[in-house]
Amino acid sequence: MRKEVDALGEMELPNEVYYGIQTERARQNFDVSGITHYQAPRYIWAVAAIKMAAARANARVDALEQEIADAICQAAQEVMDGKHADQFPIDMYQGGGGTSTNMNVNEVIGNRANEILTGAKGCDRVHPNTHVNMGQSTNDVIPAAMKVSTWFNLQELLGNMPALISTLQTKVDSYKHIVKLGRTCIQDAVPMTMAQQFSGYLSLAERMHQKISAAAQDCLELPLGATAVGTGLSARDGYLECVYPELQEITGADFKPEHNFFDGLQNGDTYVDIHANLKKLAMGLSKFATDLRIMSSGPRAGMNEVVLPAVQPGSSIMPGKINPVMPELVNQICYQICGNDVAIGMAVEGGELDLNVWEPVIIKNMGESCTLLTNTVKLFNDKCVAGLEINEEVCRKYAEDTTALSTMIAAIYDYPTGSRVAKKAFKEGKSVGAVTLEEGLMTEAQVKEYLDPMLMTDPVASALAVRRARRELGIDG
Ligand SMILES: O=C(O)C[C@H](O)C(=O)O
């Protein structure tokens, strides 16, 4: 065991741990959810990258001894490489606006740097506050790390989206010949092609990729250098000019200072904006997932238009039952992300005076939503969308049977005529074509031509057909 001291007193810590007394106090104080920084490695990576950038900048402006800066950088690199992942045991929910997170990283890097320089942890050669936290405050490090980690989380999500987009493009290209029944209010509507329906899903995915990519740009502007309240107090002259180029080199991303540091510490609207786009993606995917559940319903007593890949047996009691588990997963992820959106919104609104102290709950939810969506987009694509098949015959039959084909009669004659045909077809269980023939409204050849469901999927061809039919039938001169 080793003894460490802070402003509240002293404490014994197991000698093998790199974290120190402040981490241990926070670990005990906030033992609330079981969700620790261990589950948010990119966030810790971002704080460590900032510590490295700060050490290099402080050495450049002669605030920090080069030997200490080098040891801090070596320790920070080890943290970034995940070598000390188990040294971040504090709960993601915590009071103090992330001070415990910041001090946890300061202590681990400080003690590892001490070990590098002296062979022992817990000594003062490298102090967690004096040296590792030099020229910084929790209040600029944590919001900066939140943006750094969110930037990279979003890049990972964006990186998973093209595979889904490309799958949907393939579906659109190969479903052009498949005619199906459109549905509005879950009731039979007019025909459309399966390609048209899937083009809506494709367009949504492309739009969300573009929107998330645009919203992510805000993460490149950081309040690093603002220190405690935005004034930059305690940072050495020249530090600000040095720390950003260092951070850019360490992370490979173009991070720059925010235009107004006070704004950067007070406000979290960036997260409201980014998360709104994540919520939109989640909701769009969830709507698509629900469509797949409806269209694959049955298979004997449901719609049975779509066959989803069977990824696992569905029932413990009903042999042969296969459930749409992947779309069901997507629905649930969406509900969680909507919940996270509410929490983030409240946390952003609740900031008061010169710091948004609710940053821990913002980053916990932001990170969770990014992870859930990144994995969901991949799983949904790989295990469901890519392998789904269409029952073309079933789709065509519904499209041919619908009384909504009377929409074409209404366009050629008038609404009351179309309505009369639809009512009779429904009442007598006949097709719209059969009733149209019976009523002497068209010849057999005209029924075949003008009541073809595929014709109705093409707005130009169907408009021309209506004009032609009206002339042939003597309605127009
Ligand atoms: O830890 C700090 O640097 C500041 C702290 O979060 C505070 O403002 O109370």
Side-chain angles (χ1 to χ4, degrees), residues 36-57:
T36 69
H37 292 76
Y38 181 72
Q39 281 118 295
R42 188 163 276 142
Y43 181 38
I44 292 300
W45 178 93
V47 181
I50 287 169
K51 298 294 164 186
M52 186 190 282
R56 286 194 197 171

Side-chain angles (χ1 to χ4, degrees), residues 2-13 19-25 103 107 111 121-124 127-129:
R2 67 173 193 268
K3 206 175 270 177
E4 284 200 16
V5 183
D6 68 6
L8 298 190
E10 59 177 43
M11 191 181 259
E12 294 224 304
L13 290 155
Y19 60 77
I21 183 168
Q22 295 203 32
T23 302
E24 181 54 22
R25 289 194 197 281
M103 281 310 301
E107 288 180 337
N111 271 326
K121 305 181 188 92
C123 60
D124 271 351
H127 192 277
N129 297 80

Side-chain angles (χ1 to χ4, degrees), residues 96 99 137-139:
T99 300
S137 161
T138 299
N139 303 352

Side-chain angles (χ1 to χ4, degrees), residues 271-309:
Y271 298 102
V272 174
D273 194 31
I274 293 172
H275 204 274
N277 285 295
L278 299 186
K279 185 171 93 164
K280 282 187 261 179
L281 172 62
M283 289 174 139
L285 291 178
S286 187
K287 186 267 179 198
F288 176 23
T290 296
D291 290 355
L292 294 181
R293 286 172 43 231
I294 293 172
M295 291 193 294
S296 66
S297 61
R300 296 242 170 124
M303 228 178 244
N304 192 28
E305 290 183 347
V306 170
V307 183
L308 301 179

Side-chain angles (χ1 to χ4, degrees), residues 72-92:
I72 288 174
C73 289
Q74 186 183 326
Q77 186 62 58
E78 289 177 9
V79 171
M80 291 170 74
D81 292 343
K83 285 204 182 127
H84 308 294
D86 59 347
Q87 297 298 305
F88 300 96
I90 304 172
D91 206 282
M92 290 295 284

Side-chain angles (χ1 to χ4, degrees), residues 127-166:
H127 192 277
N129 297 80
T130 311
H131 302 114
V132 187
N133 200 53
M134 180 182 276
Q136 307 146 62
S137 161
T138 299
N139 303 352
D140 66 334
V141 168
I142 290 301
M146 286 166 64
K147 284 189 162 177
V148 170
S149 62
T150 302
W151 166 261
F152 286 105
N153 281 339
L154 293 174
Q155 300 316 303
E156 197 179 357
L157 167 61
L158 289 165
N160 276 4
M161 289 182 71
L164 176 64
I165 290 171
S166 146

